[in-house]
Amino acid sequence: MPISPEDKGFGQGSPELARWAEKVFQPEDPVLAEIRARSIREGLPAIAVGRFDGLHLEVLARLVGARKAVEIGTLGGYSGVCLLRGMPEDGVLHTFELDAHHAEVARESFRKAGVANRARIHLGPALQKLREIENEAPFDLCFIDADKTGYPAYLDWAARHLRVGGAVLGDNAFGFGGVAQPDGDEGVRALRRFNEELARGGRFRATMIPTEEGLALGVKVA
Ligand SMILES: C[S@@+](CC[C@H](N)C(=O)[O-])C[C@H]1O[C@@H](n2cnc3c(N)ncnc32)[C@H](O)[C@@H]1O
């Protein structure tokens, strides 16, 4: 009887298994594929979430029963469409983006995906613009995927504006491998603080979904 290993990576690091999972779960449909391709054609950096990350977001939004959600870092709207697909017809996503061109591409993505009436794009530095929606709190879900130095402040905002039972998610939580090293640049140090606060700060019960880049997930408990 084989013993289950203590350390398990996504897809067990096997390209064959990853291909199999893509075939069975089909995480990216033609609408999402078009958004990814058009974003690149429009000159946006290729930094949208991966196909399975997008599917995780949709499924997690469904699990939480998210009606009011926040996304920090819109880019071309790929992850926003995934989140909205996991939300009901009367659900609203507030998504925050610094770059006007990214926001324009996202607007078109939301239109093409048929979710434009449920997506509110806020243009400007997220930490300032988040204040504009605080009167709608508490929120059900907050997905953090913007400047890495901002993660600790975004987490603090989420802790103060999510309902108990609401979820916070942070992409790139492994800091591109850097969090496990002794020091690192400002972004890596911020991601380390983000993870430590999420895991041990007492406001969330949290885990790490071991995707390629680390998708940290916490449920607000206090
Ligand atoms: C990794 S991308 C987001 C990807 C997107 N969530 C997706 O998967 O489709 C990060 C985005 O955050 C934006 N950004 C960076 N700093 C920001 C800030 N301070 N406030 C708002 N957006 C910011 C960038 O312009 C970029 O579009």
Side-chain angles (χ1 to χ4, degrees):
M1 187 81 164
I3 296 169
S4 188
E6 205 172 303
D7 299 315
K8 299 183 194 179
F10 180 76
Q12 301 182 342
S14 151
E16 222 172 36
L17 204 52
R19 274 199 300 276
W20 171 86
E22 295 250 345
K23 204 164 128 200
V24 174
F25 289 89
Q26 306 215 329
E28 185 170 83
D29 68 359
V31 173
L32 290 173
E34 190 276 338
I35 294 172
R36 195 183 289 287
R38 179 166 38 80
S39 297
I40 301 294
R41 275 203 312 279
E42 287 286 344
L44 273 53
I47 53 174
V49 294
R51 291 190 282 272
F52 263 103
D53 300 316
L55 185 54
H56 292 334
L57 292 176
E58 178 190 330
V59 172
L60 287 165
R62 285 177 191 271
L63 266 176
V64 174
R67 294 193 115 76
K68 290 192 285 178
V70 176
E71 174 182 64
I72 305 173
T74 315
L75 193 67
Y78 188 102
S79 55
V81 168
C82 295
L83 285 167
L84 279 161
R85 284 178 170 181
M87 296 167 64
E89 276 306 306
D90 62 348
V92 170
L93 175 72
H94 290 282
T95 182
F96 293 81
E97 177 53 55
L98 190 60
D99 184 298
H101 181 51
H102 295 187
E104 267 326 295
V105 174
R107 204 174 301 286
E108 178 68 356
S109 301
F110 293 138
R111 192 190 65 74
K112 286 195 158 169
V115 296
N117 59 332
R118 300 192 284 131
R120 313 265 184 279
I121 303 176
H122 302 261
L123 186 61
L127 211 49
Q128 284 173 35
K129 302 294 284 184
L130 280 164
R131 291 191 206 125
E132 294 173 7
I133 61 162
E134 288 178 358
N135 60 344
E136 292 180 41
F139 295 94
D140 303 304
L141 182 150
C142 179
F143 174 48
I144 303 170
D145 190 20
D147 53 309
K148 306 311 160 202
T149 51
Y151 272 43
Y154 299 143
L155 180 64
D156 181 62
W157 188 91
R160 288 183 291 110
H161 296 97
L162 284 172
R163 66 169 161 84
V164 169
V168 66
L169 289 136
D171 197 22
N172 314 114
F174 289 152
F176 310 97
V179 288
Q181 305 304 318
D183 41 35
D185 65 17
E186 205 190 336
V188 166
R189 292 200 302 275
L191 282 171
R192 207 176 285 123
R193 285 205 306 283
F194 163 85
N195 282 299
E196 287 167 2
E197 172 62 27
L198 180 66
R200 299 206 299 264
R203 297 185 287 182
F204 294 94
R205 180 67 175 149
T207 187
M208 179 73 82
I209 304 179
T211 57
E212 180 81 25
E213 299 193 332
L215 185 60
L217 166 64
V219 175
K220 184 171 158 176
V221 291

